[in-house]
Amino acid sequence: KQEVTQIPAALSVPEGENLVLNCSFTDSAIYNLQWFRQDPGKGLTSLLLIQSSQREQTSGRLNASLDKSSGRSTLYIAASQPGDSATYLCAASNYGGSQGNLIFGKGTKLSVKP
Amino acid sequence: DTAVSQTPKYLVTQMGNDKSIKCEQNLGHDTMYWYKQDSKKFLKIMFSYNNKELIINETVPNRFSPKSPDKAHLNLHINSLELGDSAVYFCASSQGGAVNQPQHFGDGTRLSIL
């Protein structure tokens, strides 16, 4: 059974700092690993999707990496801004059952101080 | 234009009642999902559905039933509501079971049981 863990649960950094959010998963038989952002009172916004055959994906100031063998993914945010403040969730999509079912971590709540 | 829309945004009702939450997507996706986010912000899959297959998470009580009048809609009907059903319910959609495509989420329906 897949379990996804995110560390830390909360993170506060000053504006401009580079930061890394961590995600680990127990079952390496994944289709993909996805990172989402959730703002208070809102749904999830997809940030990056890394397929199982890929090592990383980049979008603007965001870079996500995937190491299936060690069961880890990281989300790197460069030059953080107050607008980056949100909860960041990673989710694994596994083989077996419904291919699209995502198993989520509990998220990292990020606060970027001006 | 809202890609995945849910109604209502807030739902307050008494124990024992039956209620429905509606979800519509205008993305032309073939797969839709329902997730439950509990008070600890943990997001868990409830159902995934395309026009061929309904996959039910075995932990979901049979008081919950998804109903799809057409490909663009997946409504969630809940019978005999219980206190523990209080949560935020998210609808999502994707193309092709989200193997290579990200899921798009609605803004959620906050259900409160009195």
Side-chain angles (χ1 to χ4, degrees):
Chain A
K1 181 184 173 185
Q2 180 71 276
E3 292 184 6
V4 178
T5 304
Q6 291 187 248
I7 296 173
L11 181 63
S12 181
V13 300
E15 183 177 3
E17 195 163 293
N18 302 325
L19 59 100
V20 175
L21 306 180
N22 297 295
C23 173
S24 61
F25 47 95
T26 55
D27 185 350
S28 61
I30 59 172
Y31 278 119
N32 60 56
L33 191 290
Q34 300 183 38
W35 283 93
F36 294 86
R37 168 186 173 139
Q38 185 175 27
D39 292 285
K42 293 289 187 180
L44 280 66
T45 300
S46 177
L47 297 174
L48 290 163
L49 182 155
I50 312 175
Q51 296 179 31
S52 62
S53 59
Q54 297 175 324
R55 296 282 292 181
E56 65 177 343
Q57 281 287 330
T58 298
S59 175
R61 295 182 293 109
L62 305 180
N63 176 279
S65 68
L66 175 65
D67 184 342
K68 277 180 56 178
S69 61
S70 65
R72 291 179 183 175
S73 176
T74 62
L75 179 67
Y76 174 82
I77 303 178
S80 58
Q81 302 170 359
D84 295 331
S85 298
T87 297
Y88 290 82
L89 295 150
C90 73
S93 178
N94 265 77
Y95 291 109
S98 173
Q99 297 174 2
N101 287 0
L102 295 175
I103 309 299
F104 281 86
K106 291 186 178 180
T108 294
K109 186 173 182 179
L110 173 65
S111 177
V112 180
K113 306 290 186 185
Chain B
D1 284 343
T2 303
V4 180
S5 60
Q6 298 178 228
T7 55
K9 190 173 176 64
Y10 300 96
L11 182 55
V12 182
T13 189
Q14 292 188 330
M15 259 193 340
N17 285 349
D18 302 338
K19 290 293 179 184
S20 292
I21 305 172
K22 295 184 178 180
C23 178
E24 176 182 4
Q25 55 95 3
N26 62 6
L27 297 166
H29 288 165
D30 62 4
T31 306
M32 296 183 72
Y33 312 83
W34 277 104
Y35 290 86
K36 179 181 180 180
Q37 189 171 42
D38 61 26
S39 57
K40 296 181 180 179
K41 306 297 184 185
F42 195 33
L43 200 63
K44 291 187 72 173
I45 184 74
M46 299 178 70
F47 305 99
S48 65
Y49 181 80
N50 61 23
N51 57 6
K52 300 175 187 175
E53 190 178 25
L54 171 66
I55 302 292
I56 302 171
N57 185 320
E58 65 274 9
T59 67
V60 175
N62 59 14
R63 297 182 294 105
F64 290 79
S65 56
K67 298 188 190 301
S68 180
D70 55 56
K71 207 171 123 175
H73 296 82
L74 184 67
N75 303 324
L76 181 64
H77 190 74
I78 316 169
N79 288 328
S80 303
L81 282 158
E82 300 178 358
L83 288 175
D85 297 334
S86 296
V88 182
Y89 293 84
F90 288 98
C91 177
S93 72
S94 70
Q95 182 61 30
V99 174
N100 297 316
Q101 300 296 325
Q103 293 186 17
H104 295 256
F105 282 74
D107 283 345
T109 295
R110 185 175 295 277
L111 175 63
S112 299
I113 310 301
L114 303 178

